[in-house]
Amino acid sequence: MKKIAIILSAGVFMLIAGFSSITVAAGRDYISIVGSSTVYPFSTVVAEQFGRATNFKTPKVEATGSGGGLKLFCSGVGISLPDIANSSRRIKKSEVELCAKNGIKEITEIKIGYDGIVLANAASSKRMKISSKEIFLSLAKDVPSGVGESLIPNPYRTWKDINPALPSAKIEVLGPPPTSGTRDAFSELAMEGGCSEFKWIKALKKKDKKKYKAICHAVREDGAYIEAGENDVLIVKKLEANPEAFGIFGFSFLDQNEDRVQGSIIDGQEPTFENISAGMYPVSRALYFYVKKAHVGIIPGIKEYIAEFASDKAVGEEGYLIDKGLIPMPENEMEQFRKDGEMLKNLSL
Amino acid sequence: MNKTHTRLDIIKSGLGKRYAKERLFKALGFSAIVIALAMLMVLFTTIIGNGYSAFQQTFIKLDITFDEAVIDPDKTLDPDVLAGADYSGIVKKSLRKVFPDVKKRKQKRDLYSLASQGAAYQLRAMVLENPSVIGTTQSLWVPADDDVDMYMKGHIQGGESSSRINQDKLDWINVFKGNSAIEKKFNIALFTNGDSREPELAGIWGAVAGSLYTMVVTLLLSFPLGVATAVYLEEFAPKNIWTDIIEVNINNLAAVPSIVFGLLGLAVFLNFFSLPRSAPMVGGLVLTLMTLPTIIITSRVALQSVPPSIREGALGVGASKMQSVTHHVLPLALPGMLTGTIIGMARALGETAPLLMIGMVAFIVDIPTGILDKATVLPVQIYLWADSPERAFVERTSAAIMVLLAFLLIMNSLAVVLRRKFERRW
């Protein structure tokens, strides 16, 4: 008994003593990537291919969300901090400033392609044709009353109330919570797009930007919009169970589940690969990743990882990222992306 | 006489009501258990119903020619050359051999997508292990793509209207079926591989190994610390306001939400001690903080249940206080302490929230080989798979849940067995 106690306590002390010694040592021989959960499915495929095809170790990819990832990325230079941040939006000025404050002066921005956001319902129901104005009217917290420049709480209960051509079902939309990048992009692209079709609201953009944003981005809270968490798989399942409901999620989920759900036609454009790629479908956004230049050369394989991301094998017409649902950039933009990656061009906002 | 008679009457008159109350209580208790069991059954049947098919994977039989001109044109047998050869080209060639009249570009692409990328890795591993296969032609079972697998298992439909299994693919699958060259076999990859974005190559071994390392660190730290704390507080510490404060704090810690421990871990172990992110070492430290209160509390209860006569007896024959504790009290309390530890560990095994902050919620392909390697754990793997768009991950998620449940079941039954075996009643 006594012996065991002595051995155990010796073990504890050794472990505790171990901390202080490890803290300084231990280099890192793999790339550490953090950031957006929208870029995660693409970034991980590249990481896996890169790990298998080269002699470098497979990079580690964490899904922390765009904001959380960039915050971590910008917290300093050092092997314990990430080398690359994925983002489903462009880096903000405040984030670049945070980076600079922590000694990260040089960042390379690399655009990888586009992601469409779809409004979808069960494949067994009728496909909906809707305009972005109607999307705004169906989901906004307050809508123009029609009399002068005033707002009233959203009175629409069914789609038909907005436009007789729309279905007579109750408005019921499942979507991501406000913390999600998908939700940000949906508000910005679909809702704001419809919102600015009201002339007086559009005029507000110049005068009172805060109020303009408040009107255009506020989503109704009376139960018509249901926050279904970040799990898109769950939304697809719920749509299947409830043929009258609609859901908001990324194009890659539509692509993988086309036998279960169908994307609504927004402003006359169907959410197809071709339409999003050509920039016709209104609700699509660019995806990026950011590289910390100070780490290039210290952490092995960063340049090669960027090259893998830009390779024909990945984002070419038949690339594996395209198979996973990434929508590639037009040819000239792609060339730019390759060059930027090779040169590690500095970011300028 | 008359008086006792009336008392008996009173008792008898109330008896029916009392029995009824008892029956009602029993019935309520019984129905509560039935409802709980029914819920458990629903949970298990959905998980098993969704997940059982993941234990099988579709394989395609192909005649593979290990062409020397492709693999090792200069006959060097240099491992680097062998590893870098175009094995997917070899797989494509053997698919073309089965269907020679596929000519169109789009059709060819569809044809190639029948076999998994894993087929190429399989060939590479074969050549590296035994270079003498070069130049031979062998009939091999290679893994099929996840779409084919889902079709074979009946999870998606094929045909004109399907975007994932179109008519061409359907026809080819039927040809394979006719030659009995497509078959479902036991999915070994699920148990031996690390994570992958290709469902047919994804496995839980990386996560299981990560969980194992994390649990070892947790056990090594939390068990001795917890037991020592409990012994000191229960046997040696004076009863005063300070020990009361400590006790309240320990009980309080047991109820703190686990994400708070994650934040603490981020601030202390990562930022202050600058330990590596995503390492089982840090995961184990954070989970130690989380399980310590549980272990301390159960260990104290176990110590309290040892009767004072044991201690007094030991002291009476001349043992020191230390001897009475280590020779007599601790061995008697140990089974109870172990039970508490196992239950605490089982809770730690199922935890994800505190690990999010320290970077263990990550895509990691390599199998961890030590406590400082990057790693993830089983419940995190389940969460990541549940969030993946590919259809084939649905069944794999359920399969991973089954494995986690099996581990928890084993640990909890071990706790029961230990208690049964060593528990002493006084």
Side-chain angles (χ1 to χ4, degrees), chain A residues 19-20 64 67 72 93 95 120 127-128 130 133 141 145 181 196 230 238 240 259 274 286 288 319:
Chain A
F19 297 163
S20 34
T64 57
L72 252 176
K93 209 167 170 216
E95 286 160 343
R127 193 190 286 271
M128 187 160 71
I130 194 167
K133 187 173 173 184
K141 194 174 176 197
S145 61
S196 58
E230 296 248 27
K238 283 186 175 164
E240 234 188 344
D259 54 331
E274 289 75 22
Y288 302 88

Side-chain angles (χ1 to χ4, degrees), chain A residues 72-92:
Chain A
L72 252 176
F73 177 81
C74 284
S75 54
V77 176
I79 54 161
S80 62
L81 294 164
D83 316 308
I84 292 175
N86 293 329
S87 179
S88 57
R89 57 169 170 77
R90 225 173 161 212
I91 193 167
K92 288 178 188 160

Side-chain angles (χ1 to χ4, degrees), chain B residues 194-349:
Chain B
D195 197 5
S196 170
R197 291 282 296 123
E198 302 298 329
E200 68 272 16
L201 303 179
I204 53 171
W205 180 240
V208 169
S211 274
L212 214 65
Y213 286 120
T214 311
M215 286 299 111
V216 166
V217 174
T218 312
L219 184 67
L220 279 183
L221 288 170
S222 64
F223 182 64
L225 274 179
V227 169
T229 312
V231 168
Y232 178 75
L233 283 177
E234 204 52 47
E235 302 288 332
F236 295 97
K239 296 271 172 283
N240 59 23
I241 181 136
W242 294 110
T243 45
D244 282 349
I245 290 175
I246 290 172
E247 185 169 351
V248 167
N249 271 300
I250 289 172
N251 291 342
N252 211 2
L253 272 182
V256 166
S258 52
I259 185 83
V260 176
F261 291 108
L263 286 166
L264 181 77
L266 175 68
V268 175
F269 302 127
L270 293 189
N271 293 348
F272 187 71
F273 285 113
S274 46
L275 288 172
R277 259 182 96 79
S278 318
M281 168 103 174
V282 184
L285 284 167
V286 169
L287 292 177
T288 299
L289 296 178
M290 209 191 76
T291 44
L292 258 182
T294 320
I295 295 179
I296 295 173
I297 291 167
T298 48
S299 298
R300 289 187 70 179
V301 172
L303 286 167
Q304 279 161 8
S305 70
V306 177
S309 56
I310 303 278
R311 298 183 184 84
E312 282 155 15
L315 295 175
V317 296
S320 70
K321 178 85 185 166
M322 186 74 188
Q323 282 171 329
S324 93
V325 170
T326 52
H327 294 178
H328 301 281
V329 180
L330 202 53
L332 289 171
L334 214 51
M337 293 175 165
L338 282 177
T339 312
T341 308
I342 293 172
I343 290 168
M345 297 295 288
R347 203 190 130 196
L349 180 64

Side-chain angles (χ1 to χ4, degrees), chain A residues 1 8 12 15 19 22-23 30 40-41 44-45 48-49 52 57-63 72 80 230-233 252-253 255-260 318 323-324, chain B residues 105 109 117 121 124 156 163-164 196-198 201 220-221 224 273-274 277-278 281 285 326 330 359 361-366 372 374 384 386-391:
Chain A
M1 196 62 236
L8 279 179
V12 174
L15 267 177
F19 297 163
I22 307 155
T23 51
Y30 56 87
Y40 174 88
T44 44
V45 183
E48 189 179 346
Q49 291 286 339
R52 291 198 201 268
K57 287 225 174 145
T58 312
K60 177 189 83 182
V61 188
E62 284 180 51
L72 252 176
S80 62
E230 296 248 27
N231 193 329
D232 295 347
V233 176
S252 54
F253 277 82
D255 192 36
Q256 291 279 346
N257 294 286
E258 258 177 318
D259 54 331
R260 295 171 157 189
E318 297 182 353
D323 282 344
K324 289 283 179 190
Chain B
R105 202 171 142 75
R109 197 165 120 79
Q117 286 176 5
Y121 306 141
R124 183 168 68 179
I156 55 174
S163 59
R164 307 216 70 87
S196 170
R197 291 282 296 123
E198 302 298 329
L201 303 179
L220 279 183
L221 288 170
F273 285 113
S274 46
R277 259 182 96 79
S278 318
M281 168 103 174
L285 284 167
T326 52
L330 202 53
V361 179
F363 174 75
I364 288 157
V365 175
D366 303 330
L372 290 173
K374 57 188 166 31
L384 289 175
D387 217 13
S388 300
E390 289 82 6
R391 185 73 65 81

